[in-house]
Amino acid sequence: MVEKLDHLIIKSEPFYAVEDAELLNGITGQDGDLRGLCLNRLGLSEDTVTLLEAQQIDVECLKKMRFEDVDVLFENRPLGPKVHFREALMLWRIELGLPMRSLRVMAFRKRSGEHDGSACNGTGPKCSRGQFHGPVDQLGVVTPATTPELVVKPNKVPPNIDYKQFSWPMTTEVLRDILASCSVGRMILHSAELATLEKSFQSQLTAIMIDYHMAHDAKITAMQLENYSRCITMLFPHENKTTYHIPRGPTRRNPGGSLYSRFINQKISKKALAIGSGMASSSPFLT
């Protein structure tokens, strides 16, 4: 419609209202609306949203979910949607300042604190045993302190640790104290709270375990390998035991996993170094 007013021409365009309330909510995608949040903000599928609605999960529930809740939600369901949901939820929670936690890690740390009687007071970076820990949050979870070291990618060279100062044999408490004593270890502790460790961290963890072992013992047994893998999975529930140790069996002559491989490689390297040193010392060209 065109109206002529004096020397001005005003053209009126029709207004098309959005009558579908669900469509409007989907476009706006406010965080208070579960469907809009999941579809537009988190990029989840319609099937995942339907699953959340069927379990009566709202936005407030998403803010409180833990890793175990995700496992229960997607039990007996395809892994793909679970991975997408978990990663999207983790990032969103980090943006809100509400990082996801694991009940198993919390319970283990509580038991460990009661066992050794050295729980941190939450006021500083060190506990009564002088080991490095971060502050204690309102849930009683000890979180690694945020330092510039934690944002650095781990080096391939294992940290220089005096393993003789730590108790023998290995326990979960000893492993935690060793990791807390170096920057790479603190990064591992921090990363393992969220999900499975990256391969670089798994390699560093394996190197630390074997270096600790070789500082105390020149040989390694199947029982020791089993104990090391058990300590890792108890301290880090998201880790897979077979990553670190696979027992020998009818079709496997030697143990598998990163622990045994690292031990063999270290033995070969030390033997080669010793041979090289012996040849150098006996060389007639050296005075």
Side-chain angles (χ1 to χ4, degrees):
M1 181 178 66
V2 178
E3 297 181 2
K4 188 172 182 181
L5 182 62
D6 293 336
H7 298 289
L8 298 176
I9 298 178
I10 302 175
K11 185 176 181 181
S12 302
E13 296 290 347
F15 173 75
Y16 299 96
V18 179
E19 298 180 356
D20 191 340
E22 291 188 2
L23 177 60
L24 181 60
N25 289 335
I27 295 174
T28 57
Q30 299 298 320
D31 283 2
D33 170 44
L34 176 67
R35 179 168 291 272
L37 170 66
C38 293
L39 294 178
N40 300 290
R41 181 79 176 274
L42 304 183
L44 302 176
S45 65
E46 183 71 32
D47 291 340
T48 300
V49 178
T50 302
L51 176 62
L52 293 172
E53 292 174 339
Q55 296 295 323
Q56 300 181 1
I57 295 176
D58 56 15
V59 175
E60 289 303 314
C61 290
L62 292 181
K63 294 179 181 179
K64 301 174 182 178
M65 286 186 74
R66 302 188 184 277
F67 287 105
E68 290 81 3
D69 299 326
V70 177
D71 294 336
V72 173
L73 179 64
F74 286 89
E75 187 174 5
N76 299 324
R77 294 180 179 274
L79 180 61
K82 175 182 176 180
V83 173
H84 288 303
F85 174 76
R86 184 185 63 201
E87 296 301 311
L89 183 61
M90 284 172 52
L91 293 176
W92 179 65
R93 290 277 295 271
I94 291 174
E95 291 178 2
L96 296 180
L98 301 171
M100 293 179 65
R101 300 289 184 186
S102 170
L103 290 173
R104 286 173 291 186
V105 173
M106 291 170 58
F108 169 77
R109 288 183 170 177
K110 183 178 180 181
R111 290 196 304 269
S112 299
E114 293 174 352
H115 175 72
D116 57 24
S118 60
C120 295
N121 57 16
T123 59
K126 291 187 178 182
C127 64
S128 58
R129 297 173 65 181
Q131 300 295 341
F132 182 94
H133 292 291
V136 179
D137 65 11
Q138 66 271 21
L139 297 177
V141 181
V142 180
T143 56
T146 303
T147 67
E149 296 171 323
L150 294 180
V151 298
V152 180
K153 284 289 184 179
N155 297 321
K156 293 184 178 180
V157 180
N160 186 18
I161 302 174
D162 179 14
Y163 294 100
K164 289 289 188 179
Q165 66 176 314
F166 297 99
S167 303
W168 172 267
M170 172 67 73
T171 64
T172 50
E173 289 80 12
V174 171
L175 175 57
R176 182 191 59 189
D177 289 343
I178 292 175
L179 295 176
S181 69
C182 63
S183 60
V184 172
R186 292 192 290 272
M187 285 192 284
I188 292 173
L189 288 170
H190 177 72
S191 299
E193 285 188 349
L194 304 177
T196 302
L197 290 171
E198 297 179 0
K199 288 189 178 296
S200 58
F201 283 129
Q202 290 177 343
S203 298
Q204 286 282 10
L205 178 57
T206 298
I208 289 173
M209 296 288 282
I210 294 303
D211 287 350
Y212 162 84
H213 175 85
M214 298 186 76
H216 292 275
D217 196 348
K219 297 181 179 180
I220 197 165
T221 65
M223 186 177 297
Q224 288 171 326
L225 289 169
E226 182 69 24
N227 178 52
Y228 290 147
S229 61
R230 181 187 62 83
C231 289
I232 291 174
T233 52
M234 285 187 64
L235 186 59
F236 306 130
H238 297 294
E239 289 301 293
N240 190 335
K241 190 175 182 180
T242 57
T243 300
Y244 302 93
H245 175 56
I246 304 174
R248 61 165 58 96
T251 59
R252 181 180 292 277
R253 182 178 179 182
N254 294 316
S258 61
L259 288 169
Y260 184 73
S261 297
R262 174 74 183 188
F263 176 78
I264 294 299
N265 290 336
Q266 287 294 90
K267 291 282 287 185
I268 294 174
S269 298
K270 287 192 174 185
K271 187 174 182 179
L273 183 61
I275 293 174
S277 299
M279 293 177 62
S281 61
S282 61
S283 174
F285 298 100
L286 295 178
T287 57

